[in-house]
Amino acid sequence: MNDTGSPARNFARHIASNRYPGRGLIIGRSAGDDAWFLLYWIMGRSESSRNRRFAIEGPVLRTEPVDPARVVAPELIIYPAMLELPGIYIVANGDQSRTIYDGLRGGGTFEAALATREREPDAPNYTPRISGMLDLNGPPAVSLSVLRANPLDPAHTDRLTFRPDPPPPGRGLCLTTYMGDGDPLPGFSGDPLLMPLEGGAEEVMGTYWDALDEENRVAIALKSVTRDGGSELMTINRL
């Protein structure tokens, strides 16, 4: 099981000294407890994966190609990464974000929406689909999900849903697609990792951007949600 109790150690081992954690998301609270943060980053080893950047359209964060002529498997790399409903904030590493959004809008649940999806079909990696939701309609609630290939038969998907207590100020809960580099890439395992969220929004985003492997990092974004429900998005793009 992952060590959820040591944010500094988790950051050092899983982010700063990890060549390839892959795509990652964190949901947590600012150190001053005046905002919630949703952090999301993308990485890439292939030319197609690195041929991306983040674009902001109102409250929506999406990926887009830098050079459309060089896109391979757009269904896996072009998607809305952050979406919003009133009081609900969604972050995901694929187009399951839209599945969650549509399911909730239709009166369904986070878990039921993801029950209709599978891990990514990119054999032999079978990249996990990672998703998170912050619900501020009432007492704050965090939901996290990993859809990953069954270790005995990757044709099947294991669906793991986590509903942890909201983290304290200055902390966030993290999922990544991979545990590290490899061939095939080892998918995320264990519990969500507790990570530090120290400083303001720009400082937090910069800290994680600087910690990601310089060769493989592609883009990072942070959404700050204030107590009145207002949100603001900011990004750093490699290209």
Side-chain angles (χ1 to χ4, degrees):
M1 182 176 292
N2 296 333
D3 178 4
T4 61
S6 178
R9 182 165 53 185
N10 289 339
F11 178 84
R13 290 181 175 180
H14 197 67
I15 306 299
S17 63
N18 187 349
R19 176 174 168 78
Y20 205 67
R23 286 165 279 174
L25 63 86
I26 300 176
I27 299 178
R29 294 162 69 181
S30 67
D33 197 21
D34 57 351
W36 285 85
F37 290 159
L38 290 87
L39 188 70
Y40 181 63
W41 66 82
I42 54 177
M43 304 182 76
R45 300 191 302 178
S46 68
E47 180 183 358
S48 180
S49 291
R50 292 177 178 178
N51 177 40
R52 290 183 293 170
R53 62 191 172 204
F54 282 147
I56 297 172
E57 296 179 349
V60 176
L61 176 75
R62 61 178 177 82
T63 63
E64 67 177 15
V66 177
D67 180 357
R70 293 163 47 208
V71 172
V72 178
E75 70 279 4
L76 295 180
I77 64 173
I78 307 301
Y79 54 88
M82 292 189 189
L83 294 168
E84 287 186 17
L85 288 162
I88 294 177
Y89 306 86
I90 299 162
V91 55
N93 76 323
D95 65 4
Q96 74 271 19
S97 59
R98 181 63 66 179
T99 304
I100 298 167
Y101 178 92
D102 290 342
L104 294 172
R105 191 172 58 174
T109 66
F110 178 81
E111 191 168 7
L114 288 167
T116 68
R117 301 302 303 266
E118 306 285 341
R119 81 288 180 273
E120 292 187 0
D122 59 335
N125 294 315
Y126 297 107
T127 298
R129 293 187 186 272
I130 57 173
S131 309
M133 180 179 74
L134 171 65
D135 186 350
L136 299 180
N137 291 313
V142 175
S143 301
L144 298 165
S145 167
V146 180
L147 306 182
R148 67 186 185 199
N150 180 281
L152 299 179
D153 184 355
H156 297 282
T157 297
D158 290 340
R159 295 176 172 82
L160 307 178
T161 302
F162 304 92
R163 298 189 183 279
D165 277 346
R171 299 290 183 262
L173 292 159
C174 173
L175 297 173
T176 62
T177 50
Y178 309 119
M179 297 304 290
D181 207 353
D183 192 13
L185 288 157
F188 185 86
S189 62
D191 297 329
L193 291 160
L194 194 62
M195 290 287 180
L197 293 176
E198 298 170 355
E202 289 189 15
E203 183 179 352
V204 167
M205 184 173 65
T207 295
Y208 279 84
W209 178 250
D210 291 342
L212 293 171
D213 182 80
E214 187 174 359
E215 181 180 354
N216 293 314
R217 68 188 182 186
V218 173
I220 192 168
L222 186 144
K223 177 175 283 190
S224 177
V225 182
T226 57
R227 289 183 181 276
D228 63 4
S231 66
E232 181 180 1
L233 260 169
M234 58 187 70
T235 65
I236 300 173
N237 288 307
R238 176 177 177 174
L239 297 177

